Amino acid sequence: MNTPIERLQTVLEALGLKAVETRLENLLEQASKKEPSYAEFLDELLNCEVEARRTRYLRARLQLAHLPFVKTIEQFDFSFQPSIDERQIQELRSLRFIHEASNVIFLGPPGVGKTHLSVALAEAAIRSGLGAYFITAHDLATDLGRAYREGRLDRRMRIYLAPKVLVIDEVGYLPLDDLGTTIFFQLISARYERGSIILTSNKSYGDWGSIFGDSIIATAILDRLLHHSTTVNIRGESYRLKDRRKAGLVPPREQEGAAAHLSLASDSVSPKTRQKTALGSTPSEAKGVHS
């Protein structure tokens, strides 16, 4: 004849309550010492399962998001990047921009924390139950270009249209060919006012013509991205360079000479403000693509 605990474990297994089943004996032992009410014990029992399921859900969603790493806003060193307005980042952390289908664009040189902040906002979105997906601009163009050549572009495009937040990293590190530029424009247009984009780039907006090989289509892309957007310019030293300094692989700042000193001094620019700018309507002739 089975004991009460064995019968409970059988029932819990049948109900799929794996977390409670695993911790049952420990929870019963704690209850015998604390002597909670039936309601309190049941509440603790069920919360154990809820938390376990939430953890599994978050782990799965983070994996599906293809984040290159998991970083949070708390882990960002704002003291090292004084050009960033921490209050602005905390406002973005509220995720209101996602509910407004607005965009966030991080601009700055390599290593200043653009990807960290992008991933942190995506992680916060996932924790709030919103879907997110991360990809570099080059991989995005390569993937959709292959899908176009194989005649399955529409189906593959849904991967990048479905999540509430699409993170496109490293825009401008490599130029796009004509097909990549056209498809990139189509994606931006399709998500316009329907889903948020978090984008990072090492190029200022005035240089985007060189990324896409055409100033007209670059203007068309910026027109849609910036209509509802927040731009965060990060001017500062690379975190990786900071680590090299600590290791003694790079000379201290005071030894870098007057030119480097002036360059660093120019980095302490006052924080940026929220930007909602339209660069004008998109010319219909842009690469033969229409909105």
Side-chain angles (χ1 to χ4, degrees), residues 180-241:
T181 293
T182 301
I183 292 176
F184 191 90
F185 173 78
Q186 289 177 341
L187 175 62
I188 299 300
S189 297
R191 288 191 64 91
Y192 176 61
E193 295 188 330
R194 297 174 188 169
S196 295
I197 291 174
I198 301 175
L199 183 147
T200 76
S201 178
N202 65 334
K203 302 285 188 182
S204 64
Y205 293 138
D207 295 330
W208 278 33
S210 63
I211 300 174
F212 301 105
D214 188 307
S215 60
I216 295 177
I217 200 166
T219 300
I221 291 169
L222 284 170
D223 178 44
R224 284 156 173 76
L225 280 174
L226 298 183
H227 186 206
H228 307 291
S229 71
T230 298
T231 296
V232 180
N233 282 293
I234 308 177
R235 302 179 182 90
E237 187 177 53
S238 166
Y239 282 98
R240 291 184 286 273
L241 186 58

Side-chain angles (χ1 to χ4, degrees), residues 137-198:
H138 179 263
D139 288 345
L140 174 68
T142 299
D143 183 43
L144 291 180
R146 184 186 305 112
Y148 171 80
R149 289 186 289 271
E150 295 174 356
R152 53 183 181 86
L153 177 60
D154 289 343
R155 183 174 57 187
R156 189 61 185 169
M157 187 77 80
R158 296 192 197 109
I159 299 294
Y160 305 106
L161 296 178
K164 282 288 186 179
V165 183
L166 176 64
V167 181
I168 306 177
D169 197 33
E170 298 182 348
V171 173
Y173 284 81
L174 293 172
L176 301 181
D177 59 18
D178 288 347
L179 177 59
T181 293
T182 301
I183 292 176
F184 191 90
F185 173 78
Q186 289 177 341
L187 175 62
I188 299 300
S189 297
R191 288 191 64 91
Y192 176 61
E193 295 188 330
R194 297 174 188 169
S196 295
I197 291 174
I198 301 175

